[in-house]
């Protein structure tokens, strides 16, 4: 249920849907069912995001990967995205306190109004990643000091910096589609209040 009808072809009826199923553990999702309206783009989209999620960020633990996705979901008011990724963050060792902080983005969508994390809540790497994600998501431009701090926390490995930037860009794309298309009727549900 979203702004468009859901397209859920049976196996063998749509090459795009069959490709998407290879990237999913639970079949065609509500997101996929909206993407399939543009069948020629749906499978490449899902394959790209799947590659970002499974092949990128090899240096980062699963919790840190999910922190990126959850922060984007919070900033972009994407309850559907949060519903899928907050449990994965917890499974990756992210505490409820960290998730509560990540979720606490201001309604103004201004970084000036964003709360600072309590002392000791975040590791230096978590803080550097979130600062990068915040600036990239809200302002697009990332100040050089934020960029340099991320690079330092990632051990100076430029590949890892690029992977954080690619993940941030990709999941901003996902959340914007989810909210614009009101996938699963979740666009007006506050982040953290939508459940499977």
């Amino acid at each position: 249920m979203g702004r468009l009808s859901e397209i859920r072809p049976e196996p063998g009826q749509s090459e795009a849907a069959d490709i998407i199923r290879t990237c999913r553990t639970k079949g065609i999702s509500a997101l996929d069912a909206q993407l399939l309206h543009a069948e020629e783009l749906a499978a490449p989209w899902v394959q790209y995001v799947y590659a970002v999620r499974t092949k990128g960020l090899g240096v980062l633990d699963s919790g840190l990967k999910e922190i990126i996705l959850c922060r984007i979901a919070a900033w972009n008011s994407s309850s559907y995205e949060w519903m899928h990724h907050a449990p994965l963050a917890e499974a990756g060792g992210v505490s409820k306190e960290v998730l509560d902080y990540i979720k606490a983005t201001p309604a103004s969508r201004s970084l000036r109004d964003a709360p600072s994390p309590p002392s000791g809540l975040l590791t230096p790497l978590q803080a550097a990643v979130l600062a990068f994600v915040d600036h990239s998501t809200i302002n697009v431009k990332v100040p050089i000091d934020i960029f340099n701090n991320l690079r330092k926390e990632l051990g100076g490995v430029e590949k890892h910096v690029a992977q954080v930037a690619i993940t941030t860009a990709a999941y901003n794309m996902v959340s914007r589609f989810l909210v614009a298309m009101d996938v699963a009727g979740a666009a007006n549900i506050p982040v953290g209040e939508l459940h499977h």
Side-chain angles (χ1 to χ4, degrees), residues 85-165:
H85 293 285
L88 296 173
E90 288 185 276
V94 178
S95 70
K96 182 182 178 333
E97 292 77 21
V98 169
L99 281 173
D100 286 344
Y101 166 72
I102 289 169
K103 186 171 54 173
T105 55
S108 67
R109 286 187 50 85
S110 170
L111 292 176
R112 283 188 293 264
D113 298 336
S116 296
S119 179
L121 179 65
L122 303 174
T123 68
L125 178 56
Q126 288 173 331
V129 166
L130 285 174
F132 181 91
V133 170
D134 288 353
H135 282 277
S136 183
T137 299
I138 299 303
N139 299 329
V140 183
K141 290 184 180 180
V142 176
I144 192 65
D145 60 321
I146 300 294
F147 178 86
N148 285 339
N149 189 49
L150 176 65
R151 183 193 321 226
K152 178 182 78 93
E153 291 300 328
L154 289 170
V157 180
E158 291 184 347
K159 174 181 180 176
H160 302 322
V161 176
Q163 289 173 326
V164 169

Side-chain angles (χ1 to χ4, degrees), residues 3-163:
R3 292 188 169 172
L4 301 176
S5 60
E6 290 195 350
I7 296 178
R8 295 180 181 270
E10 292 297 320
Q13 291 182 336
S14 162
E15 181 180 0
D18 290 343
I19 291 169
I20 290 169
R21 283 186 187 90
T22 67
C23 298
R24 302 286 192 215
T25 57
K26 297 179 182 177
I28 300 295
S29 70
L31 169 60
D32 303 329
Q34 297 282 301
L35 289 170
L36 282 165
H37 280 279
E39 190 169 0
E40 67 283 359
L41 299 175
W45 165 302
V46 172
Q47 288 175 310
Y48 168 67
V49 174
Y50 181 77
V52 168
R53 213 167 133 42
T54 61
K55 295 179 182 174
L57 297 175
V59 68
L60 303 179
D61 63 47
S62 62
L64 195 56
K65 291 175 193 178
E66 297 302 334
I67 282 174
I68 295 170
L69 280 48
C70 286
R71 186 61 162 194
I72 292 165
W75 275 118
N76 292 337
S77 300
S78 182
S79 294
Y80 184 90
E81 193 168 30
W82 181 274
M83 173 183 70
H84 288 279
H85 293 285
L88 296 173
E90 288 185 276
V94 178
S95 70
K96 182 182 178 333
E97 292 77 21
V98 169
L99 281 173
D100 286 344
Y101 166 72
I102 289 169
K103 186 171 54 173
T105 55
S108 67
R109 286 187 50 85
S110 170
L111 292 176
R112 283 188 293 264
D113 298 336
S116 296
S119 179
L121 179 65
L122 303 174
T123 68
L125 178 56
Q126 288 173 331
V129 166
L130 285 174
F132 181 91
V133 170
D134 288 353
H135 282 277
S136 183
T137 299
I138 299 303
N139 299 329
V140 183
K141 290 184 180 180
V142 176
I144 192 65
D145 60 321
I146 300 294
F147 178 86
N148 285 339
N149 189 49
L150 176 65
R151 183 193 321 226
K152 178 182 78 93
E153 291 300 328
L154 289 170
V157 180
E158 291 184 347
K159 174 181 180 176
H160 302 322
V161 176
Q163 289 173 326

